[in-house]
């Protein structure tokens, strides 16, 4: 299994750099700076220190005994990214990119955000490094995610409303790419998942690979062997790529990526780019995405804001085609049920995104059998989702 893309950023036929000519020099410059940084012991030492002392790494690997009993089969271990500073894995990536920005002499970070989680993680890193921070966010998302807008503003970021299109994440990402063209000299564009033009997909995977590196050492220490299966949710695909990356070469470790099936794939209201999408170009890379017959990008739907993205990182498209990773999907309803299970049985409120991975474990645990060892990547905590869950339950009681 090849782990690095070719010189132009292709994973098989996917990835690449489908961007305006004006952005090419900036992407090439970024790629070179990234390559040098990851080979520099001083950069890696500083990154490691910040992840340890500031973000709270390593995150624990927890054996969920009561959940294991309830699901009636495989031994279930949770990689606790929910315990990271700011409550999810996103901080691993924004700290890495901010440190790189500092090394490149940039004074400003900019980012797009959908639900606001990546915006908050970027604004946090900007505060830590004393940088200015501009966040692009659709007006519809600003309305739905007011607390995260406040968090970003308290952290010193400026939030720019994006009114174009459906005023959601894909529009914010397009607008952020346009704005970057005008300011690339002093501004570093922080992308929040393994998406976008080369080198972002491999760079973000590299910064998230700490999840897999830790999980591998932790499971070997606890069980004396490699896991049979790893399950992670897939929005753009960064938490999944991060944990999968340490196990790609172990053919016996089955890797499972879980997309959001929303109301069900047949309804069209979902976010399953691999499961029900087609090949196209979005945000500078070729991959699977949700589009209509005219190639217009469709809106995704998921109860979980972090999975609500109409594309997926190009490396996932490659893993899907080569069958190294098996992709499946879980509905809103099944994710909510898994949210309930973990909360009641273990006293851990999982993010709705991570609840999709838990729901997939629920489906598979019995058939895997009691000797099997499964790691579920618990990508974040659920406190951010409580209002959303209450609203969903209310709506469903009414219908
Ligand atoms: C953003 C987010 C995701 C989805 O992003 P990926 O890039 O697919 O990891 C998953 N879980 C949580 C908690 C998130 O905040």
């Amino acid at each position: 299994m090849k782990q690095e893309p070719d010189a132009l950023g292709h994973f098989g036929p996917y990835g690449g750099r489908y961007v305006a000519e004006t952005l090419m020099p900036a992407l090439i410059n970024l790629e070179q700076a990234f390559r040098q940084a990851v080979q520099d012991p001083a950069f890696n030492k500083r990154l490691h220190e910040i992840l340890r002392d500031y973000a709270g790494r390593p995150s624990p690997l927890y054996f969920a005994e009561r959940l294991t009993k309830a699901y009636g089969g495989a031994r279930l271990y949770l990689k606790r990214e929910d315990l990271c500073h700011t409550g999810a894995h996103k901080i691993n990536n924004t700290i890495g990119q901010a440190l790189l920005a500092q090394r490149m002499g940039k004074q400003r970070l900019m980012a797009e955000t959908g639900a606001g989680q990546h915006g908050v993680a970027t604004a946090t890193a900007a505060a830590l490094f004393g940088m200015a921070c501009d966040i692009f966010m659709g007006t519809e998302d600003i309305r739905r995610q007011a607390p995260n807008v406040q968090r970003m503003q308290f952290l010193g970021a400026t939030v720019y409303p994006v009114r174009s299109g459906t005023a959601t994440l894909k529009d914010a990402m397009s607008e952020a790419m346009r704005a970057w063209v005008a300011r690339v000299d002093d501004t570093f564009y922080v992308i929040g998942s393994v998406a976008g033009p080369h080198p972002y997909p491999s760079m973000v995977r590299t910064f998230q690979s700490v999840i897999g590196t830790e999980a591998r050492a932790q499971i070997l220490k606890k069980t004396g062997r490699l896991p049979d299966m790893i399950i992670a949710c897939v929005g753009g695909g960064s938490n999944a790529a991060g944990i999968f990356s340490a196990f790609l070469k172990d053919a016996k470790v089955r890797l499972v990526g879980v997309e959001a099936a929303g109301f069900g794939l047949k309804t069209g209201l979902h976010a399953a780019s691999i499961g029900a999408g087609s090949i196209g170009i979005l945000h500078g890379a070729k991959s699977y995405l949700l589009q209509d017959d005219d190639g217009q990008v469709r809106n995704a739907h998921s109860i979980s804001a972090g999975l609500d993205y109409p594309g997926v990182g190009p490396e996932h498209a490659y893993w899907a085609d080569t069958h190294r990773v098996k992709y499946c999907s879980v509905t809103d309803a099944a994710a909510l049920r898994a949210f309930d299970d973990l909360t009641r049985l273990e006293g851990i409120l999982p993010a709705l995104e991570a609840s999709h991975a838990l729901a997939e474990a629920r489906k598979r645990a019995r058939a895997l059998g009691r000797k099997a060892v499964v790691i579920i990547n618990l990508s974040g905590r659920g406190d951010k989702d409580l209002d959303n869950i209450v609203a969903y339950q209310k709506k469903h009681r009414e219908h």
Side-chain angles (χ1 to χ4, degrees), residues 87-90 117 192-194 233-240 306-307 351 353-354 379-381 384:
H89 68 291
K90 285 193 170 74
Q117 296 300 108
S193 193
V194 286
C233 65
V234 175
S238 69
N239 84 88
L307 302 185
E353 294 85 356
S379 56
R381 65 173 182 235
K384 67 184 176 60

Side-chain angles (χ1 to χ4, degrees), residues 97-263:
Q97 290 194 48
L99 195 62
L100 183 59
Q102 189 185 54
R103 183 184 164 97
M104 293 172 77
K106 309 281 182 188
Q107 287 105 42
R108 178 190 308 274
L109 301 181
M110 59 168 284
E112 80 292 337
T113 196
Q117 296 300 108
H118 175 55
V120 170
T122 303
T124 301
L128 176 65
F129 288 94
M131 291 172 171
C133 185
D134 292 343
I135 302 294
F136 291 77
M137 189 170 184
T139 47
E140 181 56 21
D141 287 331
I142 289 177
R143 187 183 62 75
R144 289 188 294 195
Q145 310 288 343
N148 273 340
V149 176
Q150 273 165 359
R151 272 184 201 106
M152 289 183 264
Q153 288 168 341
F154 277 127
L155 287 161
T158 307
V159 178
Y160 290 91
V162 175
R163 294 188 179 81
S164 53
T166 53
T168 57
L169 174 60
K170 67 180 168 61
D171 312 295
M173 200 159 174
S174 305
E175 188 59 37
M177 295 250 270
R178 264 196 296 277
W180 192 37
V181 176
R183 331 238 298 241
V184 346
D185 286 344
D186 72 336
T187 302
F188 188 105
Y189 180 23
V190 182
I191 291 186
S193 193
V194 286
H198 181 56
Y200 283 99
S202 47
M203 178 167 73
V204 175
R205 187 241 295 136
T206 301
F207 288 136
Q208 291 293 1
S209 66
V210 64
I211 306 173
T213 306
E214 287 175 7
R216 190 186 170 96
Q218 288 166 323
I219 199 74
L220 285 172
K221 195 165 176 210
K222 279 185 198 291
T223 67
R225 65 179 185 91
L226 289 173
D228 298 281
M229 182 177 283
I230 297 179
I231 306 177
C233 65
V234 175
S238 69
N239 84 88
I243 194 162
F244 291 167
S245 63
F247 301 92
L248 284 170
K249 292 189 184 121
D250 305 302
K252 284 195 180 144
V253 180
R254 293 163 68 190
L255 306 175
V256 177
V258 186
E259 296 187 301
F263 289 109

